[in-house]
Amino acid sequence: MTTVFSGRLVLPRLRQFCFYGGCAVAISSSTSMVVSLQDDATDERGRLPMPSVSTLVFRMPVRLGRDAYCAGSILMDYMWSLKGLDGTSEAYRQEMEACHARGAQRLLQLCFSHGGIYIKLGQHVAMLDHLVPDAYVRTMRQNLLDRCPVSSWASVERTIREDFGCPWNELFEELDPIPVASASLAQVHMARDRTTGEKRAVKVQHEDVREMSAVDLAAIEGLVKFVAWIAPDADFTWLVREAHENLPRELDFRIEAENAFACRDMLESSDALRGRVVVPHVDALRTSPRVLTMEWIDGVTIGDAGGLKDISCNPKGLARLIATCFSEMIYRFGFVHADPHVANMLVRGTTSPHGWQLVLLDHGLYRRLDDEFRIEYSKLWKSLILGDVGGITESATNMNAADSVPLFAGMLTQRQWRDVTKWEKGSSRLGYQRTEREKEEIQEYVGQHAQEIGSLLGKVPRELLLLLKTNDCLRAVDKELGAGYNTFVVTARECVKAINRHREQMHHASFKSRVASWRDRLHLEMRLQAMHAYAYVMSSS
């Protein structure tokens, strides 16, 4: 018997949810889907250790069993609870909400039980409010961003001793045994420097996360290959290629330290960001593959409206700064923090003229964009914001998406093609605000085109995969701030700046190239003003 789900079928919507969950596993900061198990069991830089035979034999089946039980329980709950109910009735709606709530709790418990990449999966689900039911988003957001299960103090001491060859009290004057925060891969403790007495943040990796991540990813690799074998049209092996690079690097804190240093240098080179956006200083002498020691920075989270008010931080100004920061990272520098969720940002009060600074945390996952892709991506987003169908089509073609232009644009904007092309609604038409009906339309569209989306993601440039996740995170940040600031204006301007810089470099800053750049900037501003004026007139009429 067919069970109705929001007036549609249950199974297509569940397939959609599973599809995006699978994508999150590979694309998100450490949610990659596979690791190549090496014959050499040494734990080299940027490589996961090979799991022990006992782990593969005894622990992997248990984890797979939990996966199957969780998925089966959620599916059967929907099918049994909604059986025989009228899809348009209030009883159906209430029962559906109850199913969502129970399913979210089951998924949360699975994430807690397995830790590691499963928590990263849950964190990314928390960013997908435009795709998955609110109960899942709310449950994951409340429990998985910085309140994950913690490792024991004994395991923390053991990890520090193994990495540094000495007990923690030879490295720090104090080390609080109670963590101040715990995330998917590590937890953070407050410490004091032995020399200066200054506070330090010590990030210690959960003890068995490296080995169990290898187990989980190897299991999922087998699942992906099995699916590709029985259904060649549903080939998700592209996730494997992307995953092989991401997870091992994020689990090596020496690489995170390098990323933090590079990000600091990048911010210092920007007139718009220097002194406005900061990165905690890393203590390289007390950093190892599994321990990262940083400057301690007190601040408030971007979702703490009261805390932001106390330090005179206007949410609209903060939204503008975040948009500027990540637009410069992507379109100017091509060096992108790929996990900018709300728990990875703080705001601290300062005595500077602006009165506050944005603090970027967790530099484990970055993506470098080559110039060719960076400029093409800039052209693409400029065209998306301006509703330029010809420009969108040209950039989509250059990114191997010529046969799926509307779908490609929808993946980037989370909007339907009719909204993308209606430039007269203004650039704010691409913002995070959506009606319930618009959310339902997007979810239905994704469910209908899940297989085509998987195929398309296998063809587009690899750089785009992590940028899709970055976009999801930034949309969630915008929604958390709720400032109503149109960040797409910032994006459009940064895109044009990037295109103009490239043109001037190619033509050695000739007079002709400078005139062309001036013309493009003027044209953009005129288009933006015209779009907003038209949208205002239409909304007022």
Side-chain angles (χ1 to χ4, degrees), residues 56-75:
L56 290 172
V57 172
F58 297 108
R59 300 184 70 176
M60 181 185 287
V62 172
R63 295 168 81 84
L64 290 175
R66 286 179 186 156
D67 293 346
Y69 178 77
C70 179
S73 297
I74 293 174
L75 176 60

Side-chain angles (χ1 to χ4, degrees), residues 405-417 420 445 475:
V405 175
L407 182 61
F408 183 62
M411 287 164 52
L412 288 160
T413 62
Q414 299 303 331
R415 290 290 184 177
Q416 295 207 49
W417 181 244
V420 173
Y445 186 77
R475 286 190 192 96

Side-chain angles (χ1 to χ4, degrees), residues 248-538:
R249 292 179 61 82
E250 195 174 5
L251 284 168
D252 190 330
F253 289 171
R254 295 169 298 184
I255 296 176
E256 180 172 349
E258 292 173 0
N259 290 338
F261 283 124
C263 185
R264 283 171 61 93
D265 291 343
M266 177 182 67
L267 296 173
E268 284 297 313
S269 70
S270 168
D271 293 337
L273 304 177
R274 187 184 309 113
R276 303 290 317 280
V277 185
V278 297
V279 172
H281 177 73
V282 173
D283 184 347
L285 296 179
R286 294 174 178 84
T287 292
S288 69
R290 295 184 295 168
V291 179
L292 178 67
T293 303
M294 302 163 286
E295 166 192 12
W296 179 277
I297 294 182
D298 288 308
V300 298
T301 64
I302 64 173
D304 183 356
L308 293 178
K309 185 176 181 180
D310 290 341
I311 59 176
S312 301
C313 177
N314 183 344
K316 185 171 289 189
L318 178 56
R320 183 188 305 115
L321 181 60
I322 292 172
T324 301
C325 177
F326 283 89
S327 291
E328 288 209 2
M329 280 186 177
I330 295 170
Y331 305 109
R332 178 181 178 183
F333 296 106
F335 185 58
V336 187
H337 187 311
D339 196 20
H341 63 68
V342 293
N344 285 341
M345 299 182 195
L346 292 176
V347 183
R348 70 172 176 182
T350 68
T351 57
S352 68
H354 295 286
W356 51 269
Q357 292 176 320
L358 173 66
V359 183
L360 298 183
L361 306 174
D362 193 347
H363 300 271
L365 188 63
Y366 273 71
R367 184 77 193 200
R368 287 198 179 275
L369 313 177
D370 63 47
D371 285 345
E372 181 180 1
F373 175 86
R374 179 175 58 84
I375 299 304
E376 194 61 62
Y377 192 66
S378 299
K379 293 178 180 178
L380 172 60
W381 266 104
K382 174 191 170 186
S383 298
L384 287 168
I385 293 169
L386 297 180
D388 178 2
V389 175
I392 296 171
T393 302
E394 181 180 351
S395 293
T397 300
N398 293 335
M399 292 187 176
N400 304 322
D403 297 332
S404 308
V405 175
L407 182 61
F408 183 62
M411 287 164 52
L412 288 160
T413 62
Q414 299 303 331
R415 290 290 184 177
Q416 295 207 49
W417 181 244
R418 66 169 186 266
D419 296 321
V420 173
T421 57
K422 284 185 178 178
W423 62 266
E424 63 270 18
K425 288 188 174 182
S427 57
S428 61
R429 73 194 188 283
L430 304 179
Y432 68 84
Q433 300 94 341
R434 293 176 176 83
T435 66
E436 286 302 314
R437 179 55 190 159
E438 287 174 331
K439 287 180 62 175
E440 287 183 6
E441 287 179 348
I442 293 171
Q443 292 170 355
E444 290 164 10
Y445 186 77
V446 170
Q448 293 166 3
H449 296 275
Q451 185 170 307
E452 188 179 351
I453 291 172
S455 175
L456 183 57
L457 289 174
K459 296 188 293 185
V460 298
R462 288 182 63 187
E463 294 92 337
L464 188 63
L465 301 179
L466 278 178
L467 288 176
L468 290 172
K469 175 182 178 289
T470 300
N471 291 343
D472 285 337
C473 290
L474 292 176
R475 286 190 192 96
V477 168
D478 274 351
K479 185 172 183 179
E480 185 78 14
L481 285 171
Y485 181 73
N486 186 0
T487 59
F488 288 101
V489 173
V490 174
T491 300
R493 288 171 177 159
E494 287 300 329
C495 288
V496 169
K497 287 179 184 178
I499 295 167
N500 289 342
R501 288 192 196 97
H502 180 70
R503 179 197 294 122
E504 292 177 14
Q505 289 173 358
M506 295 296 292
H507 295 90
H508 306 289
S510 66
F511 176 74
K512 184 177 180 180
S513 67
R514 290 176 182 270
V515 170
S517 296
W518 178 83
R519 181 197 63 210
D520 284 356
R521 288 196 296 270
L522 179 62
H523 178 256
L524 173 68
E525 295 301 327
M526 292 176 64
R527 284 289 303 273
L528 289 174
Q529 292 302 321
M531 289 165 62
H532 296 161
Y534 187 90
Y536 175 77
V537 170
M538 294 302 294

Side-chain angles (χ1 to χ4, degrees), residues 62-348:
V62 172
R63 295 168 81 84
L64 290 175
R66 286 179 186 156
D67 293 346
Y69 178 77
C70 179
S73 297
I74 293 174
L75 176 60
M76 293 306 298
D77 189 11
Y78 281 109
M79 298 184 70
W80 180 261
S81 299
L82 301 176
K83 183 178 179 180
L85 294 179
D86 180 358
T88 61
S89 67
E90 178 64 19
Y92 174 87
R93 188 194 64 78
Q94 293 178 356
E95 191 59 45
M96 176 65 72
E97 289 300 321
C99 287
H100 290 335
R102 292 191 294 270
Q105 286 298 322
R106 290 186 177 105
L107 181 59
L108 177 66
Q109 291 306 313
L110 179 70
C111 293
F112 279 164
S113 296
H114 286 185
I117 65 170
Y118 285 82
I119 288 179
K120 298 300 288 186
L121 165 62
Q123 288 175 342
H124 197 63
V125 169
M127 308 298 141
L128 300 178
D129 61 291
H130 53 290
L131 291 176
V132 301
D134 290 340
Y136 288 91
V137 173
R138 186 170 54 251
T139 300
M140 301 304 130
R141 190 171 291 177
Q142 291 174 351
N143 293 279
L144 291 182
L145 292 183
D146 59 0
R147 290 186 286 177
C148 301
V150 302
S151 296
S152 68
W153 173 239
S155 72
V156 170
E157 291 183 300
R158 193 159 48 242
T159 296
I160 293 175
R161 183 183 292 274
E162 289 174 356
D163 273 25
F164 291 98
C166 63
W168 66 264
N169 54 16
E170 292 186 19
L171 301 171
F172 308 104
E173 184 68 28
E174 298 177 13
L175 183 63
D176 191 338
I178 301 176
V180 296
S182 182
S184 56
L185 305 181
Q187 59 194 43
V188 177
H189 295 257
M190 192 276 287
R192 289 197 178 275
D193 188 276
R194 286 184 64 86
T195 304
T196 66
E198 294 179 344
K199 292 169 72 174
R200 295 285 183 263
V202 182
K203 181 177 177 180
V204 183
Q205 195 170 110
H206 297 309
E207 189 171 34
D208 65 347
V209 71
R210 297 168 72 84
E211 183 178 27
M212 294 317 301
S213 292
V215 169
D216 292 334
L217 296 177
I220 299 174
E221 176 185 15
L223 176 61
V224 168
K225 291 181 176 179
F226 177 72
V227 170
W229 177 66
I230 63 173
D233 290 338
D235 187 0
F236 288 88
T237 54
W238 57 269
L239 296 176
V240 172
R241 298 191 299 270
E242 182 67 14
H244 181 71
E245 179 180 346
N246 292 334
L247 181 61
R249 292 179 61 82
E250 195 174 5
L251 284 168
D252 190 330
F253 289 171
R254 295 169 298 184
I255 296 176
E256 180 172 349
E258 292 173 0
N259 290 338
F261 283 124
C263 185
R264 283 171 61 93
D265 291 343
M266 177 182 67
L267 296 173
E268 284 297 313
S269 70
S270 168
D271 293 337
L273 304 177
R274 187 184 309 113
R276 303 290 317 280
V277 185
V278 297
V279 172
H281 177 73
V282 173
D283 184 347
L285 296 179
R286 294 174 178 84
T287 292
S288 69
R290 295 184 295 168
V291 179
L292 178 67
T293 303
M294 302 163 286
E295 166 192 12
W296 179 277
I297 294 182
D298 288 308
V300 298
T301 64
I302 64 173
D304 183 356
L308 293 178
K309 185 176 181 180
D310 290 341
I311 59 176
S312 301
C313 177
N314 183 344
K316 185 171 289 189
L318 178 56
R320 183 188 305 115
L321 181 60
I322 292 172
T324 301
C325 177
F326 283 89
S327 291
E328 288 209 2
M329 280 186 177
I330 295 170
Y331 305 109
R332 178 181 178 183
F333 296 106
F335 185 58
V336 187
H337 187 311
D339 196 20
H341 63 68
V342 293
N344 285 341
M345 299 182 195
L346 292 176
V347 183
R348 70 172 176 182

